[in-house]
């Protein structure tokens, strides 16, 4: 995308994390269209026209909204979508936010394109301070072994190189599946051997795999997490999405990993 | 004289049946032992921890490895036996639950159950069964022209139904929430995982009953090979036998699909290999295919589990059966072509 002189006034966001961040920047009322999976912040986002799924949004709808910028995400959207929009001479900005260290860059890009550069710096400071506060709180404590399950059956876990991994480590835990990279299928028998103390299930799994998602793990009382009742479902947006709620996610994880931390 | 010859023939065929079943059963035991012995985690067998409940060794060996190997055996046995039955019914060696659209029907039923939020319990199994039976009923109806089953119409109907089912599933997936879509697509990949014992038990009983029925129907399947008139002249009630076989094979397919998702090629490869080894007699072919299917799928799954060590992730077992089955299928077609040419 060419650098632009004036801030974008008509924005289409094709990724839930970007939508969330735009609202946090105060650019919510510049958004004219979002993808179907953008669900945060609940309420305001529901009043914005939808343009289809992340995977295959309606190009026609996007064009009809006459945006002056379309935000996409490298992980959520396809290259075909970006190319189709560029062929129609719509300015597309592709965000690439894979780990915590990418956050500053994404905040700054979104801020400068939408005319909220000042607010993006505030968000970066808030993110750093918030994460530092969580890190301080868990400093010097033992580091329980944590497993974040993305999917129960077949088993998919959050390995290294994911936000979830960064947040777990920051919140005072040790990610037991740091031997793999990304969200990958993982052998159950190795989990039994690794014996995590805490198992975290992002709620999209808990909801969509039926109410038994937490109960599913009760089949393995050999696991310390199961024996001590520390298998918990949490909202996925806070710990999997690289959005505006990372501090909230880190805080939540730190309390699950260290239950003795005083409640807020 | 004739009676004497028949008796000798019966005795030798019983001996051969015993031999084939014995060898395959021994093979299956070896496959199960390998499935228990092999895995990504080393097991200290000498410590005896494997036998003590509550240890990770016990959970790994008994629950993850043994449970999964048994599930593979049950699913593989069901698919191969269903394959033999479908091949006999439509008198075409390329028929199997996958090709005929029975697996697709079961998948649509299961996808509907997932969309309805039923999770992976009994509703999914019932959905799969309903879908399997519905698909087969429809395809069978189309395939019977003027009271006679026309095999190529059945196969063609199956192919079209597969494409249609896939479209229905994609529509369901795109209308669902992201989590539901993921659940559906993951399930559709067809894979095995450590089952809970109750589900495995129920599926095993269903599959055992189905196999028992097929073994009992094997002499009549032999008669069906002679064609409708031929079978009729031997005193076989052809329409009734067909219905029994259809329902039984659908039940077997549905049980397999409900437990593991759609897994292709087991129903083709295994019966073909065994037809070459034990011959076309269904009294031999049905039990040996069931055992062979069990052996094949549990072995494939052991390889799948072990592949994590090589590639750092575990592909669904259906990928391996397809990688082995695809070329196999093409070789079969090639050989058939050579035969036609000569």
């Amino acid at each position: 995308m060419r650098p632009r002189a004036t801030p974008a006034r008509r924005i289409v966001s094709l990724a839930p994390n970007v939508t969330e961040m735009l609202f946090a920047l105060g650019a919510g009322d510049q958004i004219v269209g979002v993808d179907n999976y953008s669900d945060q912040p609940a309420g305001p986002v529901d009043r914005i026209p939808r343009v289809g799924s992340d995977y295959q949004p309606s190009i026609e709808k996007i064009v009809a909204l006459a945006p002056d910028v379309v935000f996409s995400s490298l992980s959520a959207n396809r290259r075909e979508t970006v190319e189709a929009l560029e062929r129609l001479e719509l300015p597309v900005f592709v965000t690439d936010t894979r780990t915590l260290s990418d956050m500053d860059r994404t905040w700054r890009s979104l801020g400068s394109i939408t005319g909220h550069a000042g607010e993006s710096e505030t968000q970066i400071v808030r993110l750093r301070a918030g994460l530092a506060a969580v890190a301080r709180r868990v400093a010097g404590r033992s580091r329980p072994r944590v497993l974040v399950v993305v999917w129960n059956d077949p088993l998919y876990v959050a390995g290294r190189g994911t936000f979830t991994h960064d947040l777990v480590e920051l919140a005072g835990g040790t990610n037991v599946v740091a031997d793999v990279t990304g969200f990958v299928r993982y052998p159950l028998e190795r989990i039994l051997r690794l014996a995590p103390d805490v198992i975290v299930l992002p709620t999209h799994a808990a909801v969509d795999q039926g109410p038994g998602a937490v109960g599913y793990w009760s089949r393995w009382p050999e696991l310390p997490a199961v024996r001590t009742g520390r298998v918990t479902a949490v909202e996925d947006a806070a710990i999997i999405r690289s959005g505006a709620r990372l501090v909230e996610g880190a805080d939540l994880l730190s309390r699950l990993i260290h239950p003795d931390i005083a409640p807020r | 004289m004739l009676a004497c010859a028949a008796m000798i023939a019966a005795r030798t065929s019983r001996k051969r049946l015993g031999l084939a079943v014995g060898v395959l059963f021994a093979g299956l035991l070896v496959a199960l032992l390998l499935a228990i012995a092999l895995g990504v985690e080393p097991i200290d067998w000498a410590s005896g921890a494997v036998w003590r409940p509550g240890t990770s060794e016990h959970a790994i060996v008994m629950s993850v490895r043994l449970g999964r190997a048994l599930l593979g055996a049950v699913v593989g046995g069901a698919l191969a036996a269903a394959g033999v039955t479908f091949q006999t019914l439509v008198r075409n060696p390329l028929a199997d639950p996958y090709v005929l659209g029975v697996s697709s029907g079961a998948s649509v039923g299961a996808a509907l159950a997932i969309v309805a939020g039923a999770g992976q319990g009994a509703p999914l199994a019932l959905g799969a069964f309903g879908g399997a039976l519905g698909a087969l009923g429809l395809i069978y109806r189309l395939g019977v022209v003027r009271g006679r089953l026309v095999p190529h119409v059945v196969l063609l109907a199956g192919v079209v139904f597969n494409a249609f089912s896939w479209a229905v599933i994609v529509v369901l997936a795109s209308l669902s929430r992201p989590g539901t879509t993921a659940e559906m697509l993951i399930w559709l990949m067809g894979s095995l995982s450590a089952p809970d014992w109750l589900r495995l038990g129920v599926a095993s009983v269903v599959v055992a009953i189905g196999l028992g029925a097929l073994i009992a129907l094997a002499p009549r399947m032999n008669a069906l090979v002679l064609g409708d008139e031929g079978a009729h002249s031997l005193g076989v009630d052809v329409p009734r036998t067909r219905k029994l076989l259809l329902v039984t094979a659908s039940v077997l397919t549905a049980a397999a699909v409900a437990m593991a998702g759609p897994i292709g090629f087991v129903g083709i490869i295994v019966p073909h290999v065994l037809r070459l080894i034990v011959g076309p007699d269904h009294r031999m072919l049905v039990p040996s295919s069931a055992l062979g299917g069990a052996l094949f799928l549990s072995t494939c799954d052991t390889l799948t589990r072990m592949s994590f060590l090589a590639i750092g992730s575990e592909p669904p077992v259906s990928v391996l059966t397809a990688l082995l089955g695809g070329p196999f299928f093409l070789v079969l077609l090639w050989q058939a072509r050579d035969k036609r040419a000569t």
Side-chain angles (χ1 to χ4, degrees), chain B residues 18-32 287-288 291-292 295:
Chain B
L19 185 68
V21 167
V23 167
L24 285 165
F25 192 72
L28 178 58
L29 284 183
V30 171
L32 292 178
S288 46
L291 284 168
L295 170 63

Side-chain angles (χ1 to χ4, degrees), chain B residues 48-125:
Chain B
V50 168
W51 311 111
R52 284 195 299 277
T55 61
S56 67
E57 271 81 4
H58 184 268
I60 288 172
V61 171
M62 296 303 170
S63 191
V64 178
R65 294 187 188 171
L66 180 63
R68 198 166 146 167
L70 290 175
L71 177 64
V74 171
V75 169
L79 289 175
V84 172
T85 311
F86 288 132
Q87 284 147 25
T88 306
L89 275 170
V90 303
R91 270 179 253 131
N92 190 307
L94 299 184
D96 94 324
Y98 216 69
V99 176
L100 286 183
V102 185
S103 295
S104 301
S107 300
V108 170
L112 283 170
I114 290 172
V115 170
Q120 301 199 341
L124 191 147

Side-chain angles (χ1 to χ4, degrees), chain B residues 5-190:
Chain B
M7 263 170 65
I8 290 166
R11 204 174 301 151
T12 43
S13 84
R14 204 167 298 148
K15 230 188 219 162
R16 278 181 60 198
L17 175 64
L19 185 68
V21 167
V23 167
L24 285 165
F25 192 72
L28 178 58
L29 284 183
V30 171
L32 292 178
L33 282 174
L34 280 176
I36 292 169
L38 299 175
V40 297
E41 287 299 305
I43 297 285
D44 179 9
W45 296 93
S47 73
V50 168
W51 311 111
R52 284 195 299 277
T55 61
S56 67
E57 271 81 4
H58 184 268
I60 288 172
V61 171
M62 296 303 170
S63 191
V64 178
R65 294 187 188 171
L66 180 63
R68 198 166 146 167
L70 290 175
L71 177 64
V74 171
V75 169
L79 289 175
V84 172
T85 311
F86 288 132
Q87 284 147 25
T88 306
L89 275 170
V90 303
R91 270 179 253 131
N92 190 307
L94 299 184
D96 94 324
Y98 216 69
V99 176
L100 286 183
V102 185
S103 295
S104 301
S107 300
V108 170
L112 283 170
I114 290 172
V115 170
Q120 301 199 341
L124 191 147
L126 286 177
F129 177 61
L133 212 58
L136 200 65
L138 181 76
I139 290 157
Y140 184 72
R141 272 235 127 115
L142 283 169
V144 176
V145 181
R146 278 182 236 97
R148 292 163 62 114
L149 191 76
V150 187
H152 74 263
V153 176
V154 177
L155 284 176
L156 205 58
V159 169
V160 172
F161 188 79
N162 273 331
F164 173 76
S165 304
W166 183 243
V168 170
I169 288 166
V170 171
V171 167
L172 286 174
S174 54
L175 292 177
S176 308
R177 302 191 308 122
T180 310
T181 307
E183 179 174 3
M184 215 182 279
L185 296 180
I186 284 175
W187 187 83
L188 282 170
M189 279 196 264

Side-chain angles (χ1 to χ4, degrees), chain A residues 97-115:
Chain A
T97 334
R98 270 175 264 199
T99 62
L100 275 180
S101 56
D102 299 329
M103 282 304 289
D104 292 5
R105 196 186 55 212
T106 303
W107 275 122
R108 287 204 177 101
S109 314
L110 296 182
S112 67
I113 295 170
T114 61

Side-chain angles (χ1 to χ4, degrees), chain A residues 4 7 19 21 27 32 46 53 56 63 78 82 90 93 104 109 131 140 143 146 170-171 197 209 246 249:
Chain A
R4 48 185 313 120
T19 306
M21 292 169 86
V32 293
D46 301 323
S53 68
Q56 199 152 33
V63 173
R78 290 189 307 159
V82 174
L90 286 175
F93 186 86
D104 292 5
S109 314
L131 295 180
R143 300 182 69 85
V146 181
L170 188 129
D197 303 307
Q209 296 190 81
L246 290 174

